Amino acid sequence: MLALQRGSALLVLFLSAFVPPPQCAQDPGMVHYIYQRFQVLEQRLQTCTQATRAYIQDFREFSKNISVMLGQCHTYTSEYKSAVNNLALRVERAQREIDYLEYLRKADMCVESEDKTLAEKLLQEAEEEKKIQTLLNASCDNMLMGIKSLKIVKKTLDTDGSWMKDAVSNSPKVYFLIGSRNNTVREFANMGALLEDSTKPRPRKLILPHSWQGTGQVVYKGFLFFHNQGTPNEIVKYNLQKKTVEDRMLLPGGAGRALVYQHSPSTYIDLAVDEHGLWAIHAGPGLHAHLVLTKIEPGTLGVEHSWDTPCSSQDAEAGFLLCGVLYVVYRSGGHGPHRITCVYDPRGTISEEDLPNLFFPRRPRSHSMIHYNARDKQLYAWNDGNQIIYKLQTKRKQPVK
């Protein structure tokens, strides 16, 4: 504005130099005309100054708005990038599930081309056997021979629940999950803190974002895996240290449509851990159907393989895996002895002739859960509010012929 005023003054002085002095002025009308033109010019300069101020103010507001919008754009870009990455992971997982469902569809068709030769069938069987041998390649060759002893660690008023330690970690922490539908996990520093049943030290409480369904939860490598309540077949992977949901999956094969064990009326998917890693047990289609055993890759939550077992869900109360072998506990009518009467070995290294009579000590009710801990080499169980440890007797498997 100051520059405009100075320019106006200079212009006036410049034009004044050409105006004849009063004594030389020949035409007063000309002088009046020049004066009017000066006034018009000054008004226009003032108008230009006001317009310039308005433009400057508008430009400042525009710059401010642009800066805010650029910041929001950067935030949205980061969010969209994260969403796209998550979508890509889910698409990849969905593709794996589609491939697996396609495999099941083809298997259910049970139609083989007539020109398929016997050599091709044998080759396919050999490749399948090789895949199973590669999948179950952990150095574990033990089989269960008996239940040595029973130890009641603690007693609560809750009929159903599960308790466990991390199956592979050296951590002494004990995890306590009360009820068949809940979202509060109690983490005790060690077994002594659980036994003391006191407030010192107080257990760490973890509030899950979703409630679990049943008593088939497991803790594996610092993560809690559980069946999400309200969904038929969703498995949630929860980070116990960060208190966040790490991942989730949909267990295929009709999982979660029926109870996995007849005498465990709230468990539809039973997760298990042994020397080979993470497993899932669920019932197949139909009333009192046979159990389906699924091997899960814990890092990606992808399905590695599934087996239809000969073990029935009728009269079953619990199951666990030891060295890649499924042991199912039965109780006839819910009142007889607890007995393992069905064993399934995907590798075929154990036959029924190799098994002794495997009985559990008599308890008044069916077990709410029985899980094997690969590090302690013993079973953790929950029966009528009692938290129990079973010590095991094992022997080496027979070599595969």
Side-chain angles (χ1 to χ4, degrees), residues 246-260:
E246 194 80 9
D247 205 347
R248 58 187 76 204
M249 70 171 292
L250 297 179
L251 192 63
R257 297 178 183 176
L259 293 172
V260 61

Side-chain angles (χ1 to χ4, degrees), residues 201-213:
R202 297 178 63 88
R204 176 183 177 223
K205 287 188 178 182
L206 303 173
I207 307 300
L208 305 179
H210 311 285
S211 295
W212 63 74
Q213 172 68 48

